Amino acid sequence: MTDFVQGLPKAELHLHIEGTLEPELLFALAAENDVALPYGSAAEARAAYDFQNLQAFLDLYYGGMAVLRRAEDFSRLTRAYLDRAAADGVRHAEIFFDPQAHTARGVAFDTVLAGITQALDNHAPTLGMTTRLILCFLRDRPVAEAMETLHAALDHKDSILAVGLDSAERDHPPEPFRPVFDRARTEGFLTVAHAGEEGPAAHVTGALDALGARRIDHGVAAMDDPALVRRLAEAQVPLTVCPLSNVKLQVVDDLADHPLKAMLEAGILATVNSDDPAYFGGYVAENYRAAAAALGLAKAELTQLARNSFQAAFLPDPQKRAHLAAVDAYAAAQPA
Ligand code: ADE
Ligand code: ZN
């Protein structure tokens, strides 16, 4: 199963670039940028990655970003992710970034974007990968700040395809962000949103109805609402599910309890992704492998998940068809 998963062509649709900051790069950048860290070593940092909930993770995640200061820091981060993703069979990645987490500490929007796009434009093609960029607004910061961030993005429509909503979900429903998402869609951006990770099924409905979300990031809580499950299945709204993240942040008690298989059985277009792999113990192939082992997913179901990832991608139809054909050819060439 290990070899099958690694080589299986796949798209990654839920990946926070800041969540790929491995402790080794954290330490290297801390030294170069003269930033003090609360850990003595990379091993000590890793040992601290033990989270009670989403907020406990977010505190550490935003703290770690202090080492990202120069455009080249963002480039190095992004290049390292692309290398790991390519090794995991990722052919296409739609990558989140959190500009407010950087502008709030004095790093300019254009510095962040220039660093990330430098790596996407120059490095991804050498790996045979295509990429898109999704700007996420932080839902625990003011709506007006999200609107300002959207204004900063208007000059960069060539490099930003979509906008999303992330950060602390509890007590932060999607509806207040409706004007920001309305404006984003008017300006031609696609929209997605984190919902139903720590929040209720109603946040998923709100993300669809108030934000026009074309995909739901996580969506685990949607399974609590049978009418919503039917809606997601009928409309084929993709869910970008992140199994290892859900275990690490205690969204599910155990991977064996994860609803991923039930989502597939309900006809939902579920996909598997890594979220913040430097913090959650595995990149995307490891998410497929761990889910397969815990839930008893057969090769046919893993192939379905890989097909779903391209089906759910924001790619033109001819490119989707080519990727789907590659998945099918790969699966057909493997022993049963
Ligand atoms: N930002 C980075 N990872 C996140 C997650 N799992 N949920 C919400 N916001 C995030
Ligand atoms: Zn996420």
Side-chain angles (χ1 to χ4, degrees):
M1 202 63 96
T2 296
D3 292 345
F4 179 77
V5 163
Q6 204 83 23
L8 183 63
K10 51 185 89 65
E12 173 142 70
L13 307 177
H14 184 158
L15 180 281
H16 302 265
I17 197 63
E18 297 92 344
T20 69
L21 179 57
E22 292 286 343
E24 290 73 19
L25 183 58
L26 176 82
F27 269 79
L29 294 177
E32 289 173 36
N33 289 326
D34 204 15
V35 174
L37 290 176
Y39 323 103
S41 67
E44 215 179 278
R46 257 193 200 96
Y49 296 172
D50 183 23
F51 310 110
Q52 291 299 308
N53 51 39
L54 174 58
Q55 190 61 58
F57 158 68
L58 290 170
D59 292 344
L60 227 116
Y61 164 81
Y62 293 128
M65 291 182 203
V67 305
L68 298 165
R69 301 216 60 86
R70 306 160 296 181
E72 69 183 83
D73 302 337
F74 289 91
S75 291
R76 275 160 74 181
L77 178 72
T78 306
R79 282 170 180 258
Y81 164 67
L82 292 170
D83 286 338
R84 287 172 184 267
D88 264 4
V90 174
R91 305 280 179 89
H92 175 72
E94 299 184 359
I95 298 173
F96 295 133
F97 74 120
D98 283 341
Q100 289 158 278
H102 310 299
T103 53
R105 57 189 178 81
V107 177
F109 183 99
D110 288 1
T111 301
V112 178
L113 189 63
I116 296 171
T117 54
Q118 201 277 346
L120 298 183
D121 293 347
N122 296 308
H123 196 51
T126 70
L127 300 168
M129 278 175 71
T130 53
T131 61
R132 299 285 187 275
L133 204 47
I134 304 176
L135 180 163
C136 279
F137 304 113
L138 304 188
R139 67 198 312 153
D140 50 352
R141 296 185 68 95
V143 172
E145 194 181 291
M147 193 64 100
E148 276 169 34
T149 306
L150 176 61
H151 288 154
L154 295 180
D155 288 340
H156 301 283
K157 288 185 186 173
D158 51 338
S159 46
I160 301 170
L161 177 73
V163 301
L165 188 68
D166 68 0
S167 203
E169 187 184 359
R170 208 168 271 171
D171 302 324
H172 296 289
E175 285 80 1
F177 290 88
R178 181 196 287 269
V180 181
F181 278 67
D182 280 350
R183 176 74 193 276
R185 283 200 314 281
T186 303
E187 294 288 347
F189 294 105
L190 302 176
T191 58
V192 299
H194 281 56
E197 180 188 22
E198 270 197 352
H203 284 189
V204 175
T205 304
L208 297 172
D209 294 339
L211 307 184
R214 300 267 299 259
R215 293 196 301 241
I216 297 295
D217 299 311
H218 293 294
V220 173
M223 298 306 281
D224 297 338
D225 179 344
L228 179 57
V229 169
R230 282 195 296 277
R231 176 180 179 184
L232 293 170
E234 273 164 25
Q236 288 289 280
V237 177
L239 300 186
T240 65
V241 177
C242 305
L244 291 176
S245 165
N246 292 158
V247 174
K248 273 292 212 177
L249 301 187
Q250 309 204 25
V251 169
V252 295
D253 290 337
D254 192 282
L255 201 45
D257 303 327
H258 199 285
L260 175 65
K261 192 170 182 170
M263 289 168 173
L264 293 176
E265 286 166 359
I268 290 176
L269 195 75
T271 66
V272 166
N273 309 273
S274 69
D275 206 6
D276 303 285
Y279 294 92
F280 300 152
Y283 284 75
V284 68
E286 187 55 29
N287 274 270
Y288 276 71
R289 278 193 291 269
L295 300 172
L297 303 180
K299 282 183 183 171
E301 286 155 318
L302 295 171
T303 304
Q304 182 68 52
L305 287 165
R307 293 189 107 260
N308 288 357
S309 73
F310 291 112
Q311 210 85 59
F314 294 139
L315 280 172
D317 281 342
Q319 282 186 47
K320 275 193 195 187
R321 279 197 294 274
H323 285 299
L324 291 169
V327 172
D328 291 343
Y330 177 83
Q334 300 296 311

